[in-house]
Every structure is written in structure tokens, then in C-alpha cells.
Amino acid sequence: MTEYETIRLERRGRVAWVTLDRPEALNALNAQLMRELVGLASELDRDDAVGAIVVTGSERAFAAGADIKEMADKSTAEMREADHFGPWLEFARVRKPVIAVVSGFALGGGFELALMCDIILASETATFGFPEIGLGVIPGIGGTQRIVRAIGYPKAAELVLTGRRIDAAEAERIGIVSRVVTAERLLEEAAALAETIAAQSLPALIAAKAALDAALETPLEAGLAIEAEQFTALFDTADQKEGMAAFREKRKPEFRHR
Ligand code: DAK
């Protein structure tokens, strides 16, 4: 059993809850947290008992960005050497649904981490923003790319170029978060959402995520081909037979995730 210092793992049924746990730094993403989180996410991705992964922080902060104190004195050569980019690519490659459950600050790298997840569920206390420009840098783990794809260039440019923070209501209005709920109901709603997803057939979830990802990364025709192939491949799964038999027999399916 791996020991973690900067994150916590709790398994609830088929949902794995991963909580960022550096309260002294508002969950700033230092190298250790990145290693632990990315390593765990890859492990959970390979674990057939897990159908969905929740990533969350504390009430006060999802994550207040990359760790400024850790990188402040680094040179360009040292930043290249440290390769903070590669591991995050591995996180974004997780095949299973990942849900960011955001309360409080999701700034800089914290916002970027949320954008790497498939769904963002936010508390009304959530605040999103890219403060990097005010630090003399720019978002570095996918922020400029994913925010443009999420909300379009003009609004993305305003957020990245000004560093302006937005509240949960605005984040919902412009399409960054899928839903905003009260602080009291956040964990309950997150659990219901994650359980609903994790109860579906795992091969179908993985196929759905692969097809959704293709929509962001390929021209339409290539994406349609990927969708068609993912769809067709599911016809050799036990869960497709069960899902369609259950429909005909007017009962709920009992998926075995294969
Ligand atoms: N890094 C390190 N420590 C942080 C931190 C951060 N990002 N954010 C907060 N903390 C620490 C504070 O320093 C403070 O520690 P002590 O001074 O008590 O030791 C503690 O957390 C509590 O914070 P505050 O006292 O400041 O709390 P407040 O409620 O007053 O303010 C705040 C909360 C979130 C508004 C404020 O802490 C703040 O502005 N934090 C910085 C937010 C920020 O600028 N984040 C963007 C960081 S830049 C890369 C890829 C990506 C990136 C970089 C490299 N590579 C691939 C190489 C991404 C860059 C970023 O994310």
C-alpha cells in the first residue's frame, strides 16, 4: 500500500475519492503532490474495481496553483530539467471519468488541473482564475489550450491576459463548470454524480471518454471514425449484451464491467 503525504485516497464502492491535502499551502501543486497525484491516478486507471475518480481539495481551496515558492528561483534550464509537463500529460491520459469537485480557490495550476478533468462540479464558493500573468509567467500545464477549447478564444484570452478571477456563477454561465451547488450540498451532489457514472459499464465509460476526447483533438471525420469504432467494439462486451437484454426484459441492467 503506497503512503502519500500530500494527498488522501478513499474508496467508496466503485468511486475513488482523491483529496489534495497540503492545507498549509492551500493545496499548491508542488513536485511531490504532482508525483503522488499522477501516480495514484494512473494506478486507479488500471484498477478494475474503480469506475470513476473524484479529485477534490478543502473547503478553502481546490488548489491555489503551482507552488510559487518551489519555482520562484529556478532558471529556464532548471525548469526544463524538472519536466513538470510530462507527468500532467499522464494525468490527462487517464481513461476513466475524472470529476473535479471544487470549493474555494482553483487558481493557476489548480484551475488547469480542474480543466484536465472531464466534469467540474463547483460549490458557490469556488473562484477560478489564471493569476500567472501577474507573476510574470503564463499558464504552463495546459491552461491556455484547454480554456480556449472549453469557452472559446475571446473569453479565454480575457482570463489569461488579465488574470481576473471569476466566481462560480460566472464560471457556470460561460461553460467552465457543469453545475454549481451550495457549499452544504457539494459533497453529497458530487457523490451522487460520481456514483451515477461509476455504476455504468466500465468499457462503455472508457469508450465514451475516448470519443469525447477525440472531439477536442481531431478533425470531424477522424472523430466520427473514432466514435464509430468505439461504438462497434462495445458489441463484444458482456455489458452491451446485458444492457440491451435488460431493456428488452424491462429491468435494470447489472453490469459486470467487461
Ligand atoms: N504556492 C505556494 N504557496 C502558496 C500558494 C502557491 N500557489 N498559494 C498560497 N500559498 C500559501 C501562502 O504563501 C500562505 O503561506 P504562509 O505565508 O502562511 O506560509 C498560505 O498558502 C495561505 O495563503 P494566504 O495567506 O495567501 O491566503 P489568503 O486567503 O490571504 O489568499 C490566495 C489566498 C489564493 C488569494 C493567495 O494565497 C494567492 O494569491 N495565492 C497564489 C495564487 C497564484 O498566483 N497561483 C498561481 C501560481 S502560478 C509549470 C506548469 C504550471 C505552472 C507552473 C509551472 N510547469 C510545467 C513547469 C503554473 C503556474 C501557477 O499556477
Side-chain angles (χ1 to χ4, degrees):
M1 187 69 191
T2 319
E3 292 286 323
Y4 300 105
E5 281 176 28
T6 63
I7 57 177
R8 287 180 279 122
L9 168 66
E10 189 192 340
R11 289 164 182 271
R12 290 192 222 157
R14 293 185 58 75
V15 179
W17 285 73
V18 181
T19 304
L20 310 183
D21 192 20
R22 290 190 72 214
E24 72 285 1
L26 301 183
N27 294 332
L29 310 172
N30 64 2
Q32 183 179 5
L33 190 150
M34 173 182 70
R35 270 196 308 274
E36 291 187 356
L37 176 61
V38 174
L40 175 59
S42 302
E43 227 174 86
L44 295 170
D45 200 29
R46 292 190 296 270
D47 183 340
D48 289 343
V50 173
I53 300 167
V54 169
V55 178
T56 192
S58 66
E59 236 177 275
R60 193 164 165 223
F62 177 73
D67 193 310
I68 298 172
K69 294 166 189 167
E70 192 180 62
M71 64 187 164
D73 297 326
K74 297 260 198 294
S75 67
T76 294
E78 286 167 331
M79 288 304 282
R80 281 208 182 102
E81 170 87 3
D83 182 25
H84 292 284
F85 304 94
W88 289 117
L89 277 179
E90 203 179 315
F91 182 89
R93 273 193 217 110
V94 167
R95 300 162 311 148
K96 294 175 181 171
V98 184
I99 303 164
V101 175
V102 177
S103 181
F105 300 110
L107 301 177
F111 189 7
E112 295 178 288
L113 172 59
L115 289 169
M116 283 179 225
C117 301
D118 303 297
I119 298 174
I120 304 177
L121 184 69
S123 152
E124 59 197 354
T125 66
T127 308
F128 299 86
F130 290 117
E132 287 92 339
I133 201 79
L135 296 166
V137 292
I138 66 170
I141 49 172
T144 59
Q145 304 305 296
R146 292 195 175 92
I147 196 66
V148 169
R149 283 162 168 80
I151 64 173
Y153 188 93
K155 277 192 198 304
E158 190 214 326
L159 295 185
V160 171
L161 298 178
T162 64
R164 180 170 75 85
R165 285 195 219 154
I166 58 173
D167 62 17
E170 182 171 358
E172 184 180 35
R173 196 166 63 244
I174 65 179
I176 288 169
V177 309
S178 75
R179 199 146 43 91
V180 178
V181 299
T182 61
E184 299 72 45
R185 292 194 53 79
L186 180 68
L187 295 181
E188 208 178 306
E189 294 282 345
L193 173 65
E195 280 159 24
T196 299
I197 292 172
Q200 311 303 325
S201 160
L202 183 56
L205 289 172
I206 291 173
K209 179 162 170 172
L212 286 163
D213 279 351
L216 291 176
E217 290 174 13
T218 58
L220 181 61
E221 269 198 34
L224 292 174
I226 290 169
E227 182 192 72
E229 179 47 36
Q230 292 288 343
F231 176 87
T232 308
L234 291 170
F235 280 74
D236 274 350
T237 64
D239 284 348
Q240 175 271 327
K241 296 290 171 281
E242 166 62 9
M244 294 196 180
F247 173 78
R248 283 203 297 218
E249 293 158 20
K250 299 187 187 301
R251 60 175 175 82
K252 278 198 159 176
E254 283 181 33
F255 291 128
R256 286 182 291 159
H257 308 293
R258 51 196 163 90

